[in-house]
Amino acid sequence: MQKVLTNLPIGIFDSGVGGLTVMKEVISRLPDENLLYLGDTARVPYGTRSPETVNRYALESARFLISKGIKMLVVACNTASSVSLTLLKESLPVPVIGVVEPGAKAAVTMSISGKIAVIGTEATIGSGSYTRAIESINSHASVTGIACPLFVPLIEEGWTSGDVVTLTAETYLRPLKNNGADTLVLGCTHYPMIREIIKGVAGIPLIDSAVETAGEVKTLLEGRSMARQDAGVSSREFFVTDSIEKFINVGEKFLGHKILTISKIELGG
Ligand code: DGL
Protein backbone atom coordinates (compact mmCIF):
# COMPACT_ATOMS: atom_id res chain seq x y z
CA MET A 1 0.00 0.00 0.00
CA GLN A 2 1.25 3.55 -0.79
CA LYS A 3 2.66 5.43 2.18
CA VAL A 4 -0.03 8.12 1.98
CA LEU A 5 -2.78 5.48 2.14
CA THR A 6 -1.23 3.78 5.16
CA ASN A 7 -1.74 7.11 6.95
CA LEU A 8 -5.51 6.74 6.63
CA PRO A 9 -7.21 5.91 9.92
CA ILE A 10 -8.66 2.58 10.98
CA GLY A 11 -12.41 3.00 11.52
CA ILE A 12 -13.95 1.37 14.59
CA PHE A 13 -17.66 1.36 15.25
CA ASP A 14 -19.95 0.20 17.99
CA SER A 15 -23.53 0.73 19.06
CA GLY A 16 -22.22 3.05 21.76
CA VAL A 17 -19.50 3.36 24.31
CA GLY A 18 -18.66 -0.34 24.74
CA GLY A 19 -16.48 -0.64 21.63
CA LEU A 20 -13.94 1.54 23.39
CA THR A 21 -12.77 -1.67 25.10
CA VAL A 22 -11.76 -2.83 21.61
CA MET A 23 -10.23 0.55 20.74
CA LYS A 24 -8.20 0.42 23.98
CA GLU A 25 -6.66 -2.89 22.92
CA VAL A 26 -6.01 -1.58 19.38
CA ILE A 27 -4.21 1.45 20.87
CA SER A 28 -2.08 -0.76 23.08
CA ARG A 29 -0.97 -2.98 20.16
CA LEU A 30 -0.89 -0.34 17.41
CA PRO A 31 -0.09 2.99 19.10
CA ASP A 32 1.07 4.59 15.84
CA GLU A 33 -2.19 4.07 13.95
CA ASN A 34 -4.64 6.90 13.35
CA LEU A 35 -8.08 5.90 14.64
CA LEU A 36 -11.66 7.06 14.03
CA TYR A 37 -14.33 5.81 16.43
CA LEU A 38 -18.08 6.01 15.90
CA GLY A 39 -20.47 5.22 18.76
CA ASP A 40 -24.09 5.11 17.63
CA THR A 41 -25.19 6.25 21.09
CA ALA A 42 -28.59 7.55 19.99
CA ARG A 43 -29.64 4.03 18.94
CA VAL A 44 -27.89 1.85 21.54
CA PRO A 45 -28.64 -0.94 22.45
CA TYR A 46 -28.39 -3.00 19.27
CA GLY A 47 -28.47 -6.20 21.32
CA THR A 48 -32.23 -6.26 21.80
CA ARG A 49 -33.14 -5.39 18.19
CA SER A 50 -34.17 -7.47 15.18
CA PRO A 51 -31.55 -8.55 12.61
CA GLU A 52 -33.13 -6.20 10.00
CA THR A 53 -32.68 -3.20 12.28
CA VAL A 54 -29.13 -4.16 13.30
CA ASN A 55 -28.23 -4.52 9.61
CA ARG A 56 -29.58 -1.08 8.78
CA TYR A 57 -27.86 0.61 11.72
CA ALA A 58 -24.56 -1.21 11.09
CA LEU A 59 -24.54 -0.26 7.40
CA GLU A 60 -25.28 3.40 8.16
CA SER A 61 -22.53 3.54 10.80
CA ALA A 62 -20.03 1.82 8.53
CA ARG A 63 -20.86 4.07 5.55
CA PHE A 64 -20.31 7.15 7.69
CA LEU A 65 -16.79 5.99 8.55
CA ILE A 66 -16.10 5.07 4.92
CA SER A 67 -17.13 8.61 3.94
CA LYS A 68 -14.39 9.91 6.26
CA GLY A 69 -11.74 7.87 4.43
CA ILE A 70 -10.58 4.79 6.37
CA LYS A 71 -8.25 1.99 5.33
CA MET A 72 -9.96 -0.74 7.36
CA LEU A 73 -13.14 -1.20 9.43
CA VAL A 74 -13.29 -2.89 12.82
CA VAL A 75 -16.81 -3.87 13.86
CA ALA A 76 -16.24 -3.66 17.60
CA CYS A 77 -19.85 -4.47 18.44
CA ASN A 78 -20.44 -8.18 19.02
CA THR A 79 -24.08 -7.80 18.05
CA ALA A 80 -23.28 -6.10 14.72
CA SER A 81 -20.44 -8.58 14.11
CA SER A 82 -22.82 -11.47 14.77
CA VAL A 83 -25.65 -10.22 12.62
CA SER A 84 -24.17 -7.96 9.92
CA LEU A 85 -20.55 -8.96 9.19
CA THR A 86 -21.25 -10.69 5.87
CA LEU A 87 -23.39 -7.78 4.68
CA LEU A 88 -20.69 -5.27 5.66
CA LYS A 89 -17.93 -7.29 3.98
CA GLU A 90 -19.98 -7.49 0.79
CA SER A 91 -20.94 -3.81 0.83
CA LEU A 92 -17.72 -2.00 1.75
CA PRO A 93 -14.58 -1.22 -0.24
CA VAL A 94 -12.14 -1.84 2.67
CA PRO A 95 -11.17 -4.92 4.72
CA VAL A 96 -13.66 -5.55 7.54
CA ILE A 97 -12.84 -7.35 10.80
CA GLY A 98 -15.46 -8.40 13.35
CA VAL A 99 -14.96 -9.54 16.93
CA VAL A 100 -16.58 -12.99 16.75
CA GLU A 101 -14.03 -14.97 14.74
CA PRO A 102 -10.97 -13.82 16.73
CA GLY A 103 -12.77 -14.69 20.00
CA ALA A 104 -13.90 -18.07 18.66
CA LYS A 105 -10.40 -18.95 17.44
CA ALA A 106 -8.82 -18.13 20.79
CA ALA A 107 -11.47 -20.14 22.64
CA VAL A 108 -10.84 -23.24 20.55
CA THR A 109 -7.10 -22.91 21.17
CA MET A 110 -7.60 -22.50 24.92
CA SER A 111 -10.22 -25.20 25.53
CA ILE A 112 -9.04 -28.70 26.39
CA SER A 113 -12.45 -30.34 26.80
CA GLY A 114 -13.94 -28.67 23.68
CA LYS A 115 -16.80 -27.47 25.88
CA ILE A 116 -16.94 -23.70 25.50
CA ALA A 117 -19.38 -21.18 26.95
CA VAL A 118 -20.19 -17.81 25.40
CA ILE A 119 -22.00 -14.88 27.00
CA GLY A 120 -23.41 -11.94 25.06
CA THR A 121 -26.51 -9.91 24.24
CA GLU A 122 -29.77 -11.58 23.23
CA ALA A 123 -29.07 -10.79 19.55
CA THR A 124 -25.53 -12.20 19.66
CA ILE A 125 -26.52 -15.42 21.41
CA GLY A 126 -29.73 -15.72 19.34
CA SER A 127 -27.74 -15.41 16.10
CA GLY A 128 -25.64 -18.49 16.96
CA SER A 129 -22.61 -16.67 15.53
CA TYR A 130 -20.10 -17.88 18.11
CA THR A 131 -21.41 -21.44 17.94
CA ARG A 132 -21.00 -21.48 14.15
CA ALA A 133 -17.55 -19.90 14.30
CA ILE A 134 -16.31 -22.30 17.01
CA GLU A 135 -17.79 -25.39 15.34
CA SER A 136 -16.29 -24.43 11.99
CA ILE A 137 -12.84 -24.62 13.60
CA ASN A 138 -13.53 -27.68 15.78
CA SER A 139 -16.54 -29.73 14.70
CA HIS A 140 -16.40 -31.69 17.98
CA ALA A 141 -16.71 -28.58 20.14
CA SER A 142 -19.86 -28.07 22.15
CA VAL A 143 -20.98 -24.52 22.83
CA THR A 144 -23.27 -23.21 25.56
CA GLY A 145 -24.56 -19.71 24.83
CA ILE A 146 -26.03 -17.57 27.59
CA ALA A 147 -27.67 -14.18 26.96
CA CYS A 148 -26.98 -11.70 29.77
CA PRO A 149 -29.09 -8.65 28.85
CA LEU A 150 -28.83 -6.93 32.25
CA PHE A 151 -25.05 -6.57 32.17
CA VAL A 152 -25.00 -3.75 29.58
CA PRO A 153 -27.35 -1.37 31.45
CA LEU A 154 -25.65 -2.13 34.78
CA ILE A 155 -22.20 -1.39 33.38
CA GLU A 156 -23.38 1.76 31.62
CA GLU A 157 -24.76 2.93 34.98
CA GLY A 158 -21.25 2.48 36.38
CA TRP A 159 -22.23 -0.56 38.48
CA THR A 160 -19.08 -2.51 37.75
CA SER A 161 -18.62 -3.86 41.28
CA GLY A 162 -20.79 -4.73 44.27
CA ASP A 163 -23.58 -7.10 45.22
CA VAL A 164 -26.02 -6.35 42.40
CA VAL A 165 -23.63 -7.14 39.58
CA THR A 166 -22.21 -10.17 41.44
CA LEU A 167 -25.69 -11.59 42.07
CA THR A 168 -26.64 -10.94 38.44
CA ALA A 169 -23.52 -12.79 37.28
CA GLU A 170 -24.25 -15.70 39.64
CA THR A 171 -27.77 -15.98 38.29
CA TYR A 172 -26.79 -15.82 34.61
CA LEU A 173 -23.83 -18.17 34.95
CA ARG A 174 -25.67 -20.85 36.98
CA PRO A 175 -26.06 -23.12 33.89
CA LEU A 176 -22.25 -23.40 33.79
CA LYS A 177 -22.10 -25.23 37.12
CA ASN A 178 -21.30 -28.84 36.29
CA ASN A 179 -21.74 -28.41 32.55
CA GLY A 180 -18.05 -29.10 31.91
CA ALA A 181 -17.19 -25.90 30.02
CA ASP A 182 -13.53 -25.04 30.56
CA THR A 183 -13.44 -21.73 28.65
CA LEU A 184 -15.77 -18.74 28.69
CA VAL A 185 -15.89 -16.15 25.90
CA LEU A 186 -16.79 -12.56 26.78
CA GLY A 187 -18.94 -11.99 23.68
CA CYS A 188 -19.94 -8.40 24.36
CA THR A 189 -18.04 -5.12 24.31
CA HIS A 190 -19.04 -4.24 27.87
CA TYR A 191 -18.09 -7.41 29.70
CA PRO A 192 -14.34 -6.74 30.04
CA MET A 193 -15.40 -4.00 32.47
CA ILE A 194 -16.61 -6.69 34.91
CA ARG A 195 -14.17 -9.44 33.91
CA GLU A 196 -12.92 -10.05 37.47
CA ILE A 197 -16.46 -10.61 38.75
CA ILE A 198 -17.32 -12.91 35.85
CA LYS A 199 -14.06 -14.81 36.34
CA GLY A 200 -14.69 -15.20 40.07
CA VAL A 201 -18.22 -16.51 39.52
CA ALA A 202 -17.47 -18.74 36.49
CA GLY A 203 -14.21 -20.11 37.89
CA ILE A 204 -12.84 -20.90 34.39
CA PRO A 205 -10.45 -19.03 32.07
CA LEU A 206 -11.93 -16.18 30.04
CA ILE A 207 -11.40 -15.16 26.43
CA ASP A 208 -11.72 -11.45 25.77
CA SER A 209 -12.86 -10.90 22.18
CA ALA A 210 -11.55 -7.31 22.33
CA VAL A 211 -7.99 -8.46 23.01
CA GLU A 212 -8.14 -11.16 20.32
CA THR A 213 -9.59 -8.76 17.75
CA ALA A 214 -6.83 -6.20 18.30
CA GLY A 215 -4.30 -8.97 17.65
CA GLU A 216 -6.11 -9.85 14.42
CA VAL A 217 -6.12 -6.20 13.29
CA LYS A 218 -2.34 -6.07 13.76
CA THR A 219 -1.83 -9.32 11.86
CA LEU A 220 -3.99 -8.13 8.96
CA LEU A 221 -2.31 -4.71 8.73
CA GLU A 222 1.15 -6.23 8.74
CA GLY A 223 0.19 -9.09 6.42
CA ARG A 224 -1.15 -6.65 3.80
CA SER A 225 1.56 -4.00 4.31
CA MET A 226 -1.11 -1.59 5.49
CA ALA A 227 0.51 -0.53 8.77
CA ARG A 228 1.12 3.22 9.06
CA GLN A 229 4.56 4.17 7.82
CA ASP A 230 4.63 7.76 9.09
CA ALA A 231 6.45 8.37 12.36
CA GLY A 232 4.31 11.40 13.35
CA VAL A 233 2.04 11.43 16.39
CA SER A 234 -1.10 9.39 15.77
CA SER A 235 -4.58 10.94 15.92
CA ARG A 236 -7.78 9.73 17.59
CA GLU A 237 -11.10 11.21 16.65
CA PHE A 238 -14.53 10.29 17.98
CA PHE A 239 -18.07 10.63 16.63
CA VAL A 240 -21.30 10.02 18.51
CA THR A 241 -24.97 10.25 17.58
CA ASP A 242 -26.10 11.47 21.02
CA SER A 243 -24.75 13.48 23.98
CA ILE A 244 -21.03 14.18 23.81
CA GLU A 245 -20.80 14.83 27.53
CA LYS A 246 -22.30 11.48 28.53
CA PHE A 247 -20.04 9.64 26.09
CA ILE A 248 -16.93 11.30 27.52
CA ASN A 249 -17.98 10.59 31.13
CA VAL A 250 -18.51 6.87 30.62
CA GLY A 251 -16.14 6.48 27.69
CA GLU A 252 -12.95 7.58 29.38
CA LYS A 253 -13.44 4.77 31.92
CA PHE A 254 -13.82 2.21 29.11
CA LEU A 255 -10.94 3.61 27.08
CA GLY A 256 -8.48 4.46 29.83
CA HIS A 257 -7.43 7.54 27.82
CA LYS A 258 -8.73 11.09 27.43
CA ILE A 259 -11.36 11.70 24.73
CA LEU A 260 -10.39 15.06 23.23
CA THR A 261 -11.58 15.38 19.64
CA ILE A 262 -15.25 14.51 19.42
CA SER A 263 -18.26 15.57 17.32
CA LYS A 264 -21.95 14.76 17.27
CA ILE A 265 -23.34 13.54 13.95
CA GLU A 266 -26.70 12.38 12.54
CA LEU A 267 -27.15 8.96 10.99
CA GLY A 268 -29.98 7.60 8.91
CA GLY A 269 -31.93 10.84 8.72
N1 DGL B 1 -21.98 -3.36 21.75
C1 DGL B 1 -22.97 -4.36 22.06
C2 DGL B 1 -22.33 -5.75 21.88
O1 DGL B 1 -21.13 -5.93 21.96
C3 DGL B 1 -23.53 -4.21 23.46
C4 DGL B 1 -24.46 -3.04 23.60
C5 DGL B 1 -25.67 -3.17 22.70
O2 DGL B 1 -26.55 -4.00 22.94
O3 DGL B 1 -25.74 -2.43 21.73
O4 DGL B 1 -23.04 -6.68 21.64
Side-chain angles (χ1 to χ4, degrees):
M1 197 183 225
Q2 284 173 349
K3 185 174 172 187
V4 59
L5 293 179
T6 67
N7 258 337
L8 291 176
I10 299 170
I12 303 175
F13 95 85
D14 179 49
S15 54
V17 85
L20 294 171
T21 56
V22 177
M23 184 166 181
K24 181 180 182 181
E25 299 302 332
V26 172
I27 290 172
S28 99
R29 271 166 197 72
L30 296 160
D32 297 329
E33 291 295 331
N34 296 320
L35 303 175
L36 286 190
Y37 183 94
L38 168 61
D40 190 8
T41 45
R43 304 192 292 195
V44 70
Y46 285 10
T48 51
R49 302 195 193 270
S50 68
E52 293 73 27
T53 301
V54 174
N55 279 339
R56 180 159 57 83
Y57 288 178
L59 210 48
E60 285 169 2
S61 297
R63 286 197 171 129
F64 171 78
L65 288 172
I66 294 287
S67 78
K68 292 279 158 194
I70 54 172
K71 63 180 175 185
M72 170 194 281
L73 180 73
V74 180
V75 184
C77 179
N78 280 262
T79 301
S81 295
S82 294
V83 175
S84 314
L85 195 69
T86 308
L87 174 70
L88 293 173
K89 281 187 171 172
E90 285 168 3
S91 314
L92 303 178
V94 297
V96 181
I97 289 192
V99 288
V100 171
E101 269 179 34
K105 244 192 247 172
V108 170
T109 305
M110 160 100 62
S111 175
I112 294 165
S113 67
K115 292 190 174 165
I116 296 168
V118 181
I119 53 176
T121 64
E122 283 168 304
T124 294
I125 299 305
S127 75
S129 61
Y130 274 97
T131 305
R132 274 194 307 281
I134 289 168
E135 289 178 355
S136 78
I137 307 167
N138 174 3
S139 57
H140 301 296
S142 117
V143 182
T144 304
I146 304 174
C148 305
L150 288 177
F151 280 158
V152 166
L154 283 174
I155 293 165
E156 293 218 346
E157 275 303 309
W159 291 28
T160 50
S161 59
D163 292 350
V164 173
V165 67
T166 305
L167 259 174
T168 308
E170 282 169 0
T171 308
Y172 279 142
L173 300 180
R174 208 164 279 148
L176 296 185
K177 291 263 174 288
N178 309 319
N179 110 324
D182 66 356
T183 304
L184 174 62
V185 181
L186 303 181
C188 175
T189 48
H190 288 58
Y191 301 173
M193 299 296 288
I194 53 167
R195 64 169 300 137
E196 290 312 317
I197 291 176
I198 294 173
K199 197 171 173 198
V201 172
I204 53 177
L206 305 184
I207 296 292
D208 182 343
S209 288
V211 171
E212 304 306 328
T213 302
E216 197 91 354
V217 172
K218 187 166 193 283
T219 305
L220 193 144
L221 281 186
E222 289 170 356
R224 298 197 189 184
S225 306
M226 289 170 72
R228 184 169 173 239
Q229 293 166 34
D230 238 15
V233 178
S234 55
S235 66
R236 288 164 205 160
E237 192 175 353
F238 299 82
F239 299 92
V240 289
T241 52
D242 197 11
S243 157
I244 287 180
E245 201 186 5
K246 194 165 172 216
F247 182 83
I248 292 176
N249 282 345
V250 185
E252 288 185 345
K253 294 193 193 96
F254 277 68
L255 187 62
H257 296 273
K258 284 268 167 220
I259 294 174
L260 299 171
T261 312
I262 178 164
S263 326
K264 185 171 172 214
I265 55 139
E266 297 274 337
L267 288 178

